[in-house]
Amino acid sequence: MRVLPETIGTIYDIGYRSYDGPRLGRRGAIAAIVAAGLRAVFGLGRSGRSKILPWGAIVLAVMPAVVAVAIRVLVGDLIDLYSYENYLWSIGALLPIFVASQAPELVVNDMRHRVLPLYFSRPIGRVDYVGAKLVALTLALLGLTLLPVLILFTGRILAAEDLVAAVGDEMGALPGIVGSGVLHAGVLAALGLAVCSLAGRRAYAAGAVLAVFLIGGVVSGTFQAQGRGLEWIAPFLNPLSILDGARQWLFGGTVAESPVTSADLPLATYGLAAAIMLGVSLAILALRYRRVTT
Amino acid sequence: MPLISTRALTKRYSGGVIALDGLSLELEADVIGLVGANGAGKSTLIRILLGLLEPTDGDASVLDLDTATQGAAIRELVGYMPEHDCLPPDVSATEFVAHMARVSGLPSGAARERTADVLRHVGLYEERYRPIGGYSTGMKQRVKLAQALVHDPRVLFLDEPTNGLDPAGRDEMLALIERIGREFGIAVIVASHLLGEIERVATWLVAIDAGRLLRTAPLASFTERTGQLLIETDEPADGLAARLIARGIDARADGRIVVADLASGDASEFGIYDAVRDEAVALGLALVRLEHRRHQLEDLFRARGTDARVA
Amino acid sequence: MSVLALAGVSRWYGNVVAVNDVTFEVGPGITGLLGPNGAGKTTLLHMMAGFLAPSAGEVRLDATPTWRHPQVYRQIGFVPEREAVYSFLTGRQFVVASARLSGMAGAVAAADRAIDMVELRDAADRAIGGYSKGMKQRAKVAAALVHDPPTLILDEPFNGMDPRQRLSMMDLLRAMAADGRTILFSSHILEEVERLSDQVLVVVAGRLAASGDFRRIRRLMTDRPHSFTLRSSDDRRLARELLAAPEIESVELRDGVLTLRTGDYGALTRAVAPAAQRAGVSLLELRPADESLESVFSYLVRR
C-alpha cells in the first residue's frame, strides 16, 4: 500500500548547502568575464535603451553590404559599390562611435565603483581580467569590422553564376578580409579600453574616446586637404588611417579617399605606427591596473 | 592543520611605514575577531593572506597553502567582503552575485542556483531583482556578504561588516555572522574596530597593535570574571557598603554602585549573595543590578596603568 | 560655562526638511548627539558652529546667535566629518595655520600644546596626506582645540579610529569636560555614545526624539514593559513567589535564566530582594535586559 505524502509530515532541509561540484578555475573565470563583457556591450539583460546604439551600429555597418549584395544579384557585377578594401574605410565613422559608447561599459564601472578587489580576491590575475575585457570588446567590434565584409564575400560567391569558379576567385581575398578585420578590431579595442581606463566616469570616457578619434580625424583631414607637402602628417593623426596603412602594408589594396594614398610613405611606417599604438595602449592598461588595491 | 599561520610576518612600505612587524600566529577554524590593527595593518594582513601582496619578511599560509607561491589556490577557497563600497549600481543583486560565482569558477547552472540560495540566506528577497544602486546600506552589505559566500569558501574574511548599518541592521548582520560560523561550518575572520561587536560574535580573538601581536586567545579569556560582585541600586549606596563591611565583606561604594570582593566575608557558597539580599531588604533599597564584574576587551587597549572603569 | 541653546530651530532645503522644530540646551559636560544616518545631525552641528543659518528659530551660544557673528568662532572649536585637510601640509603646519586664523598670539606654542594633547607629536612633521584616518581625525581635533575654546563640537569624531585611538580620544574628551568645557559630539554608533556621554540627544528624521540621561529616558518609556533577567539558587520557587506580585506582567523561565517583565520599574526593583528572602532563595544575578542605549534607541526610532 502506497502511503500518500499528505499523511506523513516532512520538513525539508533548506539550510546552507556546501558545493562539491566542478570548479573551472582560471579558464572558467576568463570565459565568464568575456561572456559578461559581451552581454554588457550589446545591452543584453539591460534596458532597451542600452541596446539601441550597439545593435544600431551593427545594422548600419551591415546594411551597405546587404544592399551591395542585393544589387549584385539583381544587376550583376557591372556595379560594385564596395571593394573589400574600402568597406572598412567607408563605415569608418561607426567604429569610434561604437567604441566610445560601449568600451566604457566594460571598464569604467568596475574601476569607479571599486569592484576590482572582488575580482582579484578570486583565482584570476590582472592580466586575465584585462585580457578577457580586450577579447570581449574585440569580438564585439568584429561585428563591425569583419561581419559586413564576410557578408559581401559570401554574397559575391552566391550571386555568381558559376559557384565553384567564384569560390576560387574570391578565396584569395579571405585572409586579407579576416586579417584586416581582426587587426582593426583588436587595435581599436586596446585603444578604446586604454582611454576608458583613464577616465573616471562613463560620460568622460566616451568623450575622451571620441576626442581621440574625431579631433585626429578632423585635423588629419585638414592636413590632407591642404597639400603643400604636409600630406604625410595626415595619416598619423587619425588612428583609423594608421590602421588603414597597416592593413595595406600587410594585405595590400589601396583606398582612394584615405590619407594614406595622398601621403605616399613607405607602408611599413604604418605598420610600425599601429604597433606603437597597440603597445602604448597595452602599457597604459598594465599601469592602470597595477595600482589597484584590495 | 591550522587554518591560518604566519611566521614573523613583516611588511614595510616605502616611506618607512611598518604595517606588520614580526607577526606570528596560529589560528584554528572558529569565528575569529581581529581587532586593533590600524588601517594599514589590517588591510595589509588580508592582502598578504589572500596571496595578493608579498611580505617583506617572514611567511604565511592559509589552509596549508603558502601565500607567496599558492595564492591562486588560496583564492579559490576563500571569500572576501571588503570594507569599502564595491558594488556596481546598474545590475541586480542576482546578476552580480551569479557573475561573481562564475568568476570563482562555478559552472553556470550551479552559479545560478547557489546565488538564489545564498541571497535567501543573507536575507534578500524580492529586492534581489532590482538594480543595486537603489539598495539601502543594509541591503548592499548583504550583497557583499553573498558574493563572498556564493562559491562555498572554507574561510570568510569580513572587513568591518557592520559599517554604516543602523542598530537594527547591525544586529541582523551579527546574527548572520554567528549563524555562518555555527551552522554553515565556515571559518570566519571578522575585522572590526567595535569591541562590543567582537565580544558578541567571536569565539577567538586576535589583537594587533602597531603591527605587532598583542594577544591571541579564546575570547572568553579576555572577558573573565574579575572576582568582584557589582551591585547597583537606585540611590547612593554608601549605606549598603557600610553594612556589608560590617559583615566582614570587603566592599566599597561609588555613587549608586557597590563593588564587593567575592573572596571576602562568609565562606559559604551563597553567603555573600544572601548578605547583599538581606541588607537590601533591611534598607528597603531597590536593586537594579547584581552581577559579576568582567574584564572587557577594551581593557586590553588601555594605556598602562589606568584601571578599568566600573562597567 | 558655555551653553548652546536652540529654540524652535528648523532648516530646510527646498522641500527637504533636514531639521524640524528642534529645541534644546547643551551645557558643560559631554553630550552625545545620536541618530541614524541622514537624521540631520550634521546639519544641526553646522548650525551650532555658525556655519549654516537656521531657516527658522534661533541658535545661540550664551546670548549671541551663532550665525553671522564671527566672534563666536573664537568660543567654538569645530571638527567636521569630511576630510577637510590639505594633504600637503604637515600636521604641525595645519594646526599652526588654524591657530593663526583665529588670531591668537603664540600660535606655535599653542599648536605644540594641542598636538601633545591629541598625542600626535611623533607624526606632527609628516605630511597629512600620509596619515591614517585616525591620525587625520586627531589633527583636526588639535586644530579645533588650539585656540582653547570653551565649547567643542565634533561630527563623528571616532570614524576610522582603532580601539586604542578611540580610548585615548575618549579620555581626552573626558578630561576636557572635567575642565568645565561644553562638548557635543555626534555618532551613529551607540556603543561610543553610551560609553562617553553624560547626556544624549536623539534625533530621528530631523526631529528631536528624546534628550537626557538615557537610563532616565528608558524609565519614561512607560508604554513598553521593562525586562530583567535573573539567576538564582532555585528559579522556579522564586518565579512562583514573584508571580504573586501584581506589578509583574510576565515571568519566563528558560535555559536557567528567569526573565521578568514589568510595567512598573521602581516597584519591581524593590520587590525582587524581599521576594527572594521570603522564598528562601539566593539571588545570584539580576540585570536590566533592555536598558541599553540600543534598546532605547530602537524604540525611539519607531515612534
Side-chain angles (χ1 to χ4, degrees), chain A:
Chain A
M1 183 185 80
R2 209 172 129 250
V3 181
L4 296 167
E6 299 88 69
T7 62
I8 320 170
T10 321
I11 296 181
Y12 300 95
D13 178 13
I14 53 168
Y16 184 82
R17 289 183 287 183
S18 53
Y19 180 70
D20 303 311
R23 287 182 195 257
L24 307 173
R26 260 179 84 203
R27 253 201 210 155
I30 294 175
I33 298 177
V34 172
L38 279 173
R39 283 177 62 94
V41 167
F42 288 108
L44 303 175
R46 309 254 173 112
S47 69
R49 246 182 357 162
S50 54
K51 295 185 176 70
I52 294 178
L53 201 137
W55 290 105
I58 300 271
V59 166
L60 285 175
V62 161
M63 194 58 46
V66 171
V67 168
V69 169
I71 290 181
R72 196 153 228 227
V73 166
L74 294 172
V75 179
D77 57 358
L78 286 172
I79 306 175
D80 238 347
L81 282 182
Y82 299 102
S83 69
Y84 299 133
E85 294 82 19
N86 71 10
Y87 196 90
L88 272 183
W89 187 258
S90 318
I91 62 157
L94 286 175
L95 293 170
I97 293 174
F98 189 93
V99 173
S101 149
Q102 303 309 107
E105 292 297 324
L106 284 176
V107 158
V108 176
N109 257 0
D110 281 354
M111 197 166 276
R112 178 163 169 231
H113 296 107
R114 304 171 73 184
V115 189
L116 291 169
L118 295 183
Y119 281 98
F120 296 136
S121 65
R122 289 174 154 79
I124 61 163
R126 285 150 218 262
V127 175
D128 300 330
Y129 175 84
V130 176
K133 297 282 183 180
L134 273 173
V135 168
L137 188 54
T138 304
L139 287 174
L141 278 171
L142 286 177
L144 296 178
T145 64
L146 183 58
L147 179 64
V149 189
L150 280 179
I151 290 177
L152 207 59
F153 174 83
T154 323
R156 289 219 180 132
I157 292 181
L158 292 177
E161 277 132 23
D162 185 351
L163 270 179
V164 176
V167 169
D169 285 338
E170 305 289 341
M171 196 52 80
L174 195 56
I177 293 174
V178 174
S180 169
V182 171
L183 170 72
H184 277 72
V187 175
L188 288 175
L191 189 58
L193 286 185
V195 170
C196 290
S197 75
L198 295 172
R201 282 167 198 253
R202 277 181 291 188
Y204 301 161
V209 172
L210 281 178
V212 166
F213 284 93
L214 291 181
I215 294 177
V218 166
V219 177
S220 162
T222 315
F223 274 104
Q224 189 181 359
Q226 281 290 336
R228 287 192 269 135
L230 288 173
E231 303 92 342
W232 65 271
I233 298 178
F236 295 102
L237 296 173
N238 184 352
L240 287 174
S241 47
I242 292 180
L243 283 172
D244 185 55
R247 178 200 58 75
Q248 200 174 332
W249 176 54
L250 288 170
F251 308 112
T254 55
V255 174
E257 308 82 19
S258 158
V260 170
T261 318
S262 34
D264 200 23
L265 287 173
L267 293 176
T269 54
Y270 300 110
L272 183 61
I276 290 176
M277 240 180 11
L278 183 62
V280 168
S281 302
L282 292 177
I284 290 175
L285 284 169
L287 281 171
R288 196 75 178 91
Y289 282 91
R290 185 164 301 270
R291 287 201 291 120
V292 168
T293 52
T294 300

Side-chain angles (χ1 to χ4, degrees), chain B residues 205-263:
Chain B
L205 189 85
V206 174
I208 297 183
D209 194 12
R212 293 205 196 94
L213 183 65
L214 196 51
R215 277 233 345 239
T216 169
L219 186 76
S221 72
F222 289 82
T223 54
E224 272 167 344
R225 301 174 172 194
T226 60
Q228 291 172 321
L229 195 62
L230 186 147
I231 306 142
E232 186 182 337
T233 70
D234 227 355
E235 18 181 296
D238 307 283
L240 178 62
R243 290 178 76 117
L244 289 175
I245 290 171
R247 284 202 187 209
I249 294 170
D250 189 0
R252 67 187 150 84
D254 182 5
R256 288 173 307 176
I257 292 177
V258 173
V259 178
D261 189 343
L262 282 166

Side-chain angles (χ1 to χ4, degrees), chain C residues 83-122:
Chain C
E83 309 252 309
V85 292
Y86 296 105
S87 21
F88 55 87
L89 289 177
T90 68
R92 193 181 299 278
Q93 287 169 343
F94 177 61
V95 179
V96 169
S98 177
R100 292 223 171 93
L101 276 173
S102 61
M104 64 183 300
V108 177
D112 274 340
R113 274 199 308 273
I115 287 171
D116 277 346
M117 262 205 275
V118 301
E119 293 177 19
L120 205 57
R121 191 163 1 148
D122 296 331

Side-chain angles (χ1 to χ4, degrees), chain B residues 228-233 240 244 258 260 262 272-274 276-277 287-293, chain C residues 228-232 272-273 282-288:
Chain B
Q228 291 172 321
L229 195 62
L230 186 147
I231 306 142
E232 186 182 337
T233 70
L240 178 62
L244 289 175
V258 173
L262 282 166
I272 193 171
Y273 299 98
D274 290 342
V276 172
R277 176 196 70 191
L287 267 187
V288 172
R289 184 186 303 268
L290 176 70
E291 62 180 354
H292 290 268
R293 265 181 86 189
Chain C
F228 284 83
T229 57
L230 265 170
R231 281 179 212 262
S232 69
V272 171
S282 297
L283 200 54
L284 302 177
E285 187 180 279
L286 171 68
R287 279 189 187 161

